[in-house]
Amino acid sequence: MNPATRKKILEGALHCFSCQEYHDVTISRIARQAGTGKGTVYEYFRSKQDLYDQLFTYMSERYLEEMNQVASGSGSVRQRLTGLYRRHGEMYLQILEQGRGAMLMEELMRSRRHQGAEGIGRALRDLFRRVLLEGMEAGELKKTLDPETASALLLMGLPCLVLILDPAGHADNAGNLVHTLLEGMAAE
């Protein structure tokens, strides 16, 4: 099986399910969107439900890949953490722009009974912890910092960035949120 063909089908399905309700989407429509035949879709996926279920995994992997690239980039801990928050905000806005994109993500998470969401949370916490440990080692952060607690706080800030603060201003909010988390709130 060709990974590029599978990706085209998943991208076509993402577009279709983002624009229409599940019951209105057909394999024929997904195949047309992907630029392939209906039979080819069935070579990669047993059914529409199978394709729909695998879409969450695909979206999660794509998200984590991009977040990992930002975390592994150059720059200070502050710059990389701000970059992670900014990229999260950008990707969230992209989902919102896809019409039903946010609803699709919620439906997929619900259909997976949050197993996938827990995996994403763990992967993001580990990613934040890695950046924090690198910062501690480089002397950018206190050696007494508890990386488990700090990574949990950073993880909790992601939904705050897009659900509570203005998503359109995610770039400014990202820097402010990271500054507050790193500098604390106590008076000097």
Side-chain angles (χ1 to χ4, degrees):
M1 290 199 182
N2 184 342
T5 301
R6 184 177 189 280
K7 181 179 178 180
K8 278 182 11 183
I9 294 168
L10 286 164
E11 287 291 333
L14 176 59
H15 174 81
C16 292
F17 287 122
S18 293
C19 297
Q20 293 182 291
E21 298 287 332
Y22 175 86
H23 63 275
D24 293 330
V25 174
T26 65
I27 292 293
S28 295
R29 179 159 156 58
I30 293 169
R32 262 193 318 277
Q33 184 66 37
T36 189
K38 184 176 172 180
T40 303
V41 174
Y42 283 114
E43 287 178 28
Y44 288 82
F45 304 95
R46 291 185 309 271
S47 64
K48 180 170 81 169
Q49 185 63 51
D50 180 42
L51 175 53
Y52 188 77
D53 290 343
Q54 290 191 43
L55 194 53
F56 179 80
T57 302
Y58 172 72
M59 290 172 68
S60 301
E61 288 170 354
R62 195 170 78 177
Y63 170 78
L64 290 172
E65 231 173 73
E66 291 199 32
M67 294 296 275
N68 205 11
Q69 284 178 348
V70 174
S72 300
S74 61
S76 68
V77 169
R78 182 183 303 267
Q79 290 168 329
R80 289 186 288 153
L81 291 175
T82 301
L84 286 167
Y85 275 70
R86 283 188 177 142
R87 189 64 193 124
H88 175 78
E90 290 164 1
M91 292 176 81
Y92 184 81
L93 288 175
Q94 287 173 354
I95 288 172
L96 288 180
E97 289 169 2
Q98 292 178 346
R100 291 187 62 252
M103 285 177 28
L104 172 63
M105 196 63 181
E106 286 178 32
E107 289 170 15
L108 289 168
M109 286 175 63
R110 230 184 348 268
S111 73
R112 295 287 303 243
R113 293 181 178 78
H114 302 287
Q115 293 169 357
E118 290 172 9
I120 293 171
R122 272 192 301 278
L124 284 172
R125 188 186 64 227
D126 291 346
L127 190 141
F128 281 128
R129 189 168 42 76
R130 186 183 84 218
V131 172
L132 293 171
L133 288 169
E134 289 170 8
M136 291 167 70
E137 191 174 301
E140 293 180 58
L141 299 173
K142 297 175 186 176
K143 298 280 185 203
T144 57
L145 178 73
D146 176 9
E148 293 302 318
T149 302
S151 61
L153 280 171
L154 288 164
L155 181 60
M156 288 187 288
L158 287 174
C160 172
L161 178 67
V162 293
L163 298 176
I164 297 171
L165 301 171
D166 175 22
H170 69 274
D172 292 334
N173 293 335
N176 293 338
L177 201 51
V178 169
H179 174 80
T180 301
L181 290 171
L182 290 180
E183 301 299 324
M185 296 181 227
E188 294 182 20

